[in-house]
Amino acid sequence: MSSKNGTKVRLDAPPDKLRVRIRRREKTDSPQYDEVFEIPYRRNLNVISVLMDIRKNPVTADGKETTPPVWDMNCLEQVCGICTMVINGRVRQSCSALIDDLLVESGGNEIRLEPMSKFPNVRDLKVDRSPMFDHLKKVHAWVELDGYHDLGAGPHTSQSMQAERYAYSRCMTCGCCLEACPQYFEDNYIGPQAIGQVRLFNMHPTGQMDREERLDAMMDDDGIANCGNSQNCVQVCPMNIPLTRAIYETNREVTVHGLFGWLKK
Amino acid sequence: MSNKINIAIVGGGLAGLAAAMKIAEAGHNVDLFSVVPVKRSHSVCAQGGINGAVNTKGEGDSPWKHFDDTVYGGDFLADQEPVRRMTDMAPAIIHLFDRMGVPFSRTKEGLLDFRRFGGTLHHRTAFAGASTGQQLLYALDEQVRKYESEGSVRKFEGWEMLSLVMDDHGVCRGIVAMDLQTLELKAFEADAVIMASGGPGLIYGKSTNSQVCTGSAVSACYQQGARYANGEFIQVHPTSIPGEDKLRLMSESARGEGGRVWVPKTQGDERDPQNIPESERWYFLEDKYPAYGNLVPRDIATREIFQTCLDGYGVKGENQVYLDLSHIPAETLDRKLGAILEIYEMFIGDDPRQVPMRIFPGVHYSMGGLWVDFEQRTNIPGLFAAGECDFSIHGANRLGANSLLSCVYGGFTAAPSALEYVANVERGDSGTNGIYDAELKKQKEINDQIVHSNGSENQYKIHEEMGKLMTENVTVIRYNDRLQETDNKLLELIDRFQNISINDSNLWATQAVPHARQLWNMLQLARVITLGALNRNESRGAHFKPEFPDRNDDEWLKTTVAEYSEEAPVLSYEQVDVSHIEPRLRDYSKSSKKAD
Ligand SMILES: Cc1cc2nc3c(=O)[nH]c(=O)nc-3n(C[C@H](O)[C@H](O)[C@H](O)COP(=O)(O)OP(=O)(O)OC[C@H]3O[C@@H](n4cnc5c(N)ncnc54)[C@H](O)[C@@H]3O)c2cc1C
Ligand code: SF4
Ligand code: SF4
Ligand code: FES
């Protein structure tokens, strides 16, 4: 959000009309093209409400009837991660992207919406992020239990351990970090999201019993060694997940595991 | 063929995932359907926590007290036996989540911490920061992913269930679902089906619910013969943040810290709030309730705010009132209310330390849903339901932090119940000849009809009109003449629906076709809600009629049951199970409730 010294910079002279440039694609393999729409400006719009307006009556700025733009949305409060797209060149959630802020930042009356570029583009602004869920399978992102019957309380946990795990556990699989990572292309690298989850489960008293399996996954060709340490990921993460710390600590674990792991076999 | 049982689960929120992991643990197979990837289900939105009488604070809390609070809070409309079972199971559910790795907030000793919530005097709510729903959903998602990687759970994410497949004996034998990318329709065989498709908030247009909460799936079941119970009981939260796209929850703690609710004394005053002098502001809650002021109980606050706007005093002529914190020092606000102020800032863009927040009651939760017995069985053999989409547990009003619990309890109960049903039922091919093809054909025809419709009506406009109609007439204050009028208008909207045209010529991943189908189903369910409210001539929990201001146990201590017919829902009434505690009058007037 645009603010100066903690006070918000207001959009003082809002435009009559808001121009919305959308990067579109009809179908997975068809070419991309831009279309510009114009809607009357109102206060308190976010990108989603603008898209809803356009969807209701899809006519471009020069009066051409067209198809409604397609995008994903669900929670509308930046917690499900589904609505992620590239807005004015920056990857973020469209539900929490406010038009006034975007206009203050850009100084113009146009906003630009594009789909994320690192995932298969289904149509318009919709992408397929199922590779991220596959990564979670690969790194064994769960705690193994003996069963779901009543076995009493879980392990004692300190407040500081809880706070550290909670921070990683807020990852909403949105993919901003992968979009921004210079090393991640078409799934050649497992990426920071999965590394954060390795950290989350390797820290848990029960979860760490499967630690080796996760570290093995980290040592594969698409593993942690691909990270070039550019720190782009941590800057775009909307949940403020300490990704560089996860990478640092997992790297250390992997090194030790690599040195001594084979001795145990 | 192995003799493994195959269960289809519709919905991957807390309830659906809870059922899936139990079935997989028992060694059977699950086909799990969800409109969105299950990890993005509406359950992520829950913030406050989950209830369970673990009694770690030495307060003498017990599952029985939790049971009593829940039944009392629900104004005695809930069947008591399932509530008792749920509150008994609650501590074990919380411990299980803890073992699965949920980062619950802890005490100094490293034990689970609990906080206070509405409708109880005990610290009974376990929480993980301010995102408990997200954390609980992720824990179940992780467990189910384990079974998915082992092959016993097949996920169909991005598939929307459209209808049940019924055999000649009226038994549910599977579902028809649509791939939302290709619009391909497919019939899926199943030994039993569990509905866990969440609430119907989108019927009201804007609500605190997520966008997939249309209630469309349960409406489809209802139109195929499933009974829908207590539809008229819709919970409206007093303070939500009106947005252009949805209503976001604003915690009651803002008023707890001194927030004041007001509107301009002059209707339609166009001035910004900072320019309206003190003498021209109407602090209507303080005016009408000198003792409690802005901290009157939740239902009263909701009704007053709603009435003020209906009377034309809404800020700038709209459905909103001010919740003002700007008289409190910014430093105090940051310290005590930082997190919720950030939500307001993030979405509205105004700074509530300087500008009054604009809030309005928001449709939040449906107590009603598919009728189920004490084992989560619907009236259709082979069809089960769990979570917000079933009617059990909450009666006429839900207590905060009881929903996440009821979702998990419902899933944990529906799973063994479905397995038991399959084990004991004769699984022949009798009566299944051609039923899959027949249902598939029927659903394809509906799709074709929608795709080729070229009338003059816009489906999104019809949705908006339905939302406004329902919000104005079937929420907080209900009048019989308006309810009747609402049903007439719903019938008009249903007529107009037949004359829509979808505005998307590209059918690949289109949202127009699914939305049209959801809209039809929402209109049907809207009638159930409206007519249920029209018929119930009393006031109980969330259902309030000025013409009948009191609870009337002699006539209305009954569950409303709606069955589909083409003309109108057919309503009948059933006894409520009151086998454990005698109904008594609810009176919170002496202690205001705290809330989520
Ligand atoms: C803002 C907010 C805060 C809340 N806070 C709390 C709280 O603190 N504590 C509490 O106890 N409760 C809270 N609640 C209530 C609680 O979050 C919900 O009642 C609960 O999460 C519902 O879970 P569910 O599993 O029934 O459904 P959901 O989580 O809504 O999941 C429904 C699932 O069904 C799928 N689905 C729907 N239709 C179809 C279809 N046709 N085909 C295939 N799949 C379909 C969806 O994709 C989704 O996976 C809150 C609610 C809101 C709105
Ligand atoms: S630090 Fe590593 S993971 Fe993060 S953006 Fe850079 S290369 Fe990618
Ligand atoms: S780590 Fe952050 S940016 Fe990456 S997927 Fe998770 S929430 Fe999104
Ligand atoms: S819609 Fe859920 S994060 Fe935006």
Side-chain angles (χ1 to χ4, degrees):
Chain A
M1 142 169 353
S2 54
S3 62
K4 253 183 205 144
N5 307 327
T7 14
K8 193 176 153 54
V9 178
R10 301 273 307 188
L11 182 64
D12 288 329
D16 291 341
K17 294 226 174 250
L18 174 71
R19 286 170 64 83
V20 188
R21 177 179 296 276
I22 303 179
R23 172 78 34 100
R24 308 200 56 177
R25 192 198 294 273
E26 274 173 22
K27 224 180 143 134
T28 313
D29 291 319
S30 52
Q32 284 186 316
Y33 60 100
D34 277 9
E35 259 176 2
V36 179
F37 299 86
E38 251 173 23
I39 65 158
Y41 170 87
R42 307 192 294 278
R43 284 247 181 237
N44 299 320
L45 290 170
N46 59 359
V47 168
I48 296 278
S49 44
V50 167
L51 284 168
M52 283 174 162
D53 259 24
I54 296 172
R55 171 173 79 172
K56 214 185 310 171
N57 186 21
V59 177
T60 65
D62 27 75
K64 190 183 101 197
E65 278 190 34
T66 181
T67 55
V70 164
W71 77 100
D72 272 326
M73 59 174 166
N74 199 25
C75 72
L76 304 189
E77 43 195 67
Q78 201 189 291
V79 67
C80 81
I82 204 170
C83 68
T84 311
M85 58 181 76
V86 178
I87 300 169
N88 285 354
R90 200 182 120 209
V91 66
R92 56 186 298 189
Q93 280 66 55
S94 52
C95 64
S96 54
L98 304 178
I99 299 302
D100 280 16
D101 289 345
L102 294 170
L103 296 183
V104 167
E105 273 162 22
S106 73
N109 70 338
E110 182 173 297
I111 59 164
R112 199 158 32 91
L113 308 179
E114 297 160 278
M116 297 168 90
S117 65
K118 301 269 176 93
F119 302 96
N121 185 194
V122 177
R123 174 178 167 181
D124 299 334
L125 302 167
K126 184 182 168 79
V127 295
D128 175 5
R129 275 165 290 180
S130 47
M132 296 186 73
F133 296 113
D134 294 336
H135 296 163
L136 295 178
K137 282 185 210 150
K138 183 157 185 203
V139 302
H140 213 87
W142 53 79
V143 172
E144 287 280 353
L145 297 186
D146 288 347
Y148 302 138
H149 49 296
D150 187 6
L151 289 172
H156 272 48
T157 306
S158 69
Q159 290 180 336
S160 61
M161 167 70 89
Q162 184 273 340
E164 202 179 339
R165 291 194 67 248
Y166 179 69
Y168 289 113
S169 190
R170 297 225 60 203
C171 170
M172 58 180 176
T173 331
C174 68
C176 286
C177 54
L178 298 182
E179 179 73 13
C181 173
Q183 302 299 108
Y184 181 84
F185 302 100
E186 287 173 7
D187 235 25
N188 59 317
Y189 163 39
I190 197 157
Q193 161 247 358
I195 298 173
Q197 296 301 297
V198 168
R199 198 63 211 125
L200 171 66
F201 288 96
N202 279 3
M203 253 188 286
H204 187 264
T206 320
Q208 64 148 3
M209 295 173 191
D210 297 310
R211 192 176 148 262
E212 318 256 311
E213 224 166 306
R214 293 189 197 99
L215 295 178
D216 280 342
M218 286 284 103
M219 289 173 68
D220 279 357
D221 285 349
D222 66 348
I224 195 166
N226 291 280
C227 170
N229 209 18
S230 67
Q231 317 215 347
N232 292 11
C233 50
V234 76
Q235 283 162 25
V236 296
C237 175
M239 304 307 254
N240 296 317
I241 292 165
L243 293 170
T244 36
R245 178 162 172 191
I247 293 166
Y248 171 75
E249 285 177 354
T250 306
N251 234 333
R252 243 185 17 187
E253 271 195 284
V254 164
T255 310
V256 176
H257 176 72
L259 281 176
F260 299 107
W262 61 273
L263 283 177
K264 296 183 196 155
K265 292 205 169 140
Chain B
M1 277 288 284
S2 71
N3 51 6
K4 280 200 174 178
I5 294 169
N6 180 43
I7 312 269
I9 300 178
V10 179
L14 275 188
L17 293 175
M21 64 191 240
K22 276 282 191 185
I23 292 165
E25 185 191 27
H28 298 287
N29 290 335
V30 173
D31 283 347
L32 179 58
F33 297 84
S34 178
V35 173
V36 291
V38 296
K39 202 179 172 182
R40 309 192 194 283
S41 296
H42 170 62
S43 292
V44 286
C45 288
Q47 300 166 351
I50 178 168
N51 287 338
V54 179
N55 190 32
T56 52
K57 303 272 180 192
E59 296 172 330
D61 196 12
S62 67
W64 181 266
K65 286 184 180 163
H66 184 187
F67 165 65
D68 188 79
D69 282 341
T70 302
V71 170
Y72 182 72
D75 228 349
F76 289 90
L77 195 62
D79 285 328
Q80 293 184 2
E81 177 59 16
V83 180
R84 196 191 59 76
R85 294 186 197 173
M86 177 189 83
T87 52
D88 274 355
M89 197 195 278
I93 287 176
I94 290 174
H95 285 147
L96 175 60
F97 274 115
D98 191 21
R99 286 168 52 220
M100 290 190 291
V102 169
F104 281 119
S105 299
R106 319 300 292 204
T107 63
K108 284 219 174 72
E109 192 182 326
L111 302 175
L112 295 172
D113 201 3
F114 288 83
R115 65 177 159 213
R116 284 275 305 281
F117 241 72
T120 180
L121 297 170
H122 297 90
H123 289 78
R124 187 187 287 152
T125 306
F127 58 103
S131 64
T132 313
Q134 184 194 25
Q135 302 305 316
L136 299 187
L137 183 75
Y138 289 1
L140 299 191
D141 174 65
E142 288 149 12
Q143 294 299 314
V144 169
R145 184 164 294 104
K146 181 186 94 172
Y147 292 111
E148 188 193 8
S149 67
E150 292 167 5
S152 53
V153 173
R154 288 197 298 170
K155 279 189 193 154
F156 295 86
E157 295 176 316
W159 284 76
E160 179 153 7
M161 175 266 195
L162 298 178
S163 68
L164 303 171
V165 178
M166 309 280 284
D167 71 14
D168 300 345
H169 311 290
V171 175
C172 174
R173 306 296 293 254
I175 63 166
V176 168
M178 170 163 68
D179 180 336
L180 295 170
Q181 203 156 300
T182 60
L183 292 206
E184 177 202 3
L185 300 191
K186 223 175 135 176
F188 294 85
E189 290 181 39
D191 296 317
V193 175
I194 300 176
M195 299 302 299
S197 53
L202 270 268
I203 287 178
Y204 288 83
K206 294 186 217 171
S207 73
T208 61
N209 290 13
S210 297
Q211 290 295 303
V212 299
C213 300
T214 58
S216 179
V218 290
S219 175
C221 297
Y222 154 73
Q223 290 168 67
Q224 288 183 283
R227 291 152 42 121
Y228 195 90
N230 286 346
E232 66 268 32
F233 290 93
I234 298 284
Q235 181 168 72
V236 181
H237 197 286
T239 62
S240 69
I241 312 166
E244 287 284 332
D245 52 344
K246 88 170 275 195
L247 312 172
R248 298 180 177 90
L249 208 61
M250 173 49 57
S251 165
E252 215 162 81
S253 56
R255 280 173 287 143
E257 297 298 340
R260 303 177 73 187
V261 175
W262 63 275
V263 289
K265 280 186 179 164
T266 316
Q267 294 189 356
D269 197 326
E270 283 295 325
R271 288 174 294 177
D272 282 337
Q274 305 94 306
N275 302 330
I276 300 178
E278 198 64 24
S279 61
E280 292 173 42
R281 300 174 175 193
W282 182 27
Y283 295 93
F284 56 94
L285 288 176
E286 297 170 34
D287 211 26
K288 295 182 179 177
Y289 303 92
Y292 281 90
N294 296 288
L295 279 174
V296 285
R298 198 192 267 191
D299 53 338
I300 296 179
T302 294
R303 270 172 221 139
E304 289 294 350
I305 293 169
F306 203 77
Q307 189 63 53
T308 303
C309 292
L310 283 183
D311 292 344
Y313 287 94
V315 170
K316 298 189 179 166
E318 290 182 45
N319 279 336
Q320 44 193 26
V321 302
Y322 289 126
L323 171 53
D324 199 346
L325 295 164
S326 62
H327 56 286
I328 303 171
E331 179 273 326
T332 313
L333 291 176
D334 284 336
R335 190 157 42 84
K336 295 192 165 166
L337 299 172
I340 57 171
L341 301 188
E342 277 161 26
I343 292 184
Y344 191 83
E345 260 188 305
M346 169 152 76
F347 285 101
I348 297 301
D350 289 340
D351 180 359
R353 297 164 197 84
Q354 294 167 24
V355 188
M357 296 187 279
R358 284 159 298 147
I359 58 105
F360 191 68
V363 168
H364 186 53
Y365 184 86
S366 172
M367 275 71 75
L370 289 174
W371 179 90
V372 289
D373 67 8
F374 299 173
E375 313 296 333
Q376 307 293 138
R377 295 180 284 228
T378 72
N379 60 304
I380 296 178
L383 184 67
F384 300 74
E388 190 172 339
C389 78
D390 87 44
F391 93 110
S392 64
I393 306 291
H394 307 292
N397 172 56
R398 170 176 76 83
L399 292 188
N402 256 355
S403 171
L404 298 179
L405 175 63
S406 67
C407 288
V408 178
Y409 164 79
F412 279 5
T413 305
S417 179
L419 291 176
E420 192 196 276
Y421 159 82
V422 178
N424 292 322
V425 86
E426 212 182 295
R427 275 203 282 165
D429 290 332
S430 128
T432 62
N433 222 342
I435 57 169
Y436 297 96
D437 289 343
E439 186 60 34
L440 197 57
K441 184 158 168 271
K442 198 165 130 201
Q443 296 305 321
K444 277 187 177 153
E445 280 166 10
I446 298 177
N447 265 20
D448 284 345
Q449 224 175 329
I450 291 173
V451 168
H452 294 115
S453 59
N454 53 2
S456 54
E457 295 285 349
N458 183 312
Q459 56 174 319
Y460 299 105
K461 276 202 66 186
I462 294 180
H463 189 172
E464 255 176 42
E465 285 180 42
M466 169 180 67
K468 286 211 178 99
L469 187 64
M470 293 297 289
T471 303
E472 273 164 25
N473 301 297
V474 203
T475 44
V476 187
I477 303 171
R478 300 163 172 193
Y479 297 96
N480 282 348
D481 52 349
R482 295 199 199 163
L483 291 167
Q484 184 57 61
E485 179 64 21
T486 301
D487 189 54
N488 298 343
K489 289 208 175 128
L490 286 170
L491 284 170
E492 280 170 39
L493 291 178
I494 288 173
D495 271 348
R496 283 170 55 194
F497 177 89
Q498 327 265 1
N499 191 33
I500 59 166
S501 66
I502 64 157
N503 64 8
D504 198 353
S505 57
N506 175 5
L507 293 181
W508 176 258
T510 183
Q511 290 158 342
V513 176
H515 181 266
R517 299 199 60 138
Q518 292 155 7
L519 180 57
W520 172 264
N521 288 338
M522 285 190 273
L523 285 162
Q524 300 302 325
L525 213 50
R527 292 197 73 200
V528 174
I529 297 169
T530 306
L531 292 173
L534 175 61
N535 234 33
R536 184 178 281 274
N537 283 329
E538 66 158 350
S539 293
R540 182 187 298 269
H543 173 73
F544 178 73
K545 280 186 178 174
E547 297 153 290
F548 305 91
D550 300 317
R551 189 173 102 188
N552 177 352
D553 281 355
D554 290 342
E555 284 178 67
W556 289 107
L557 182 51
K558 284 178 189 144
T559 301
T560 308
V561 174
E563 281 167 288
Y564 178 77
S565 86
E566 239 169 83
E567 304 84 74
V570 179
L571 300 179
S572 60
Y573 295 88
E574 247 183 27
Q575 285 312 308
V576 176
D577 167 36
V578 289
S579 55
H580 296 287
I581 36 180
E582 183 83 7
R584 58 186 192 273
L585 218 55
R586 232 171 42 132
D587 179 13
Y588 288 109
S589 67
K590 286 172 193 71
S591 63
S592 62
K593 285 206 285 173
K594 291 246 163 32
D596 50 353

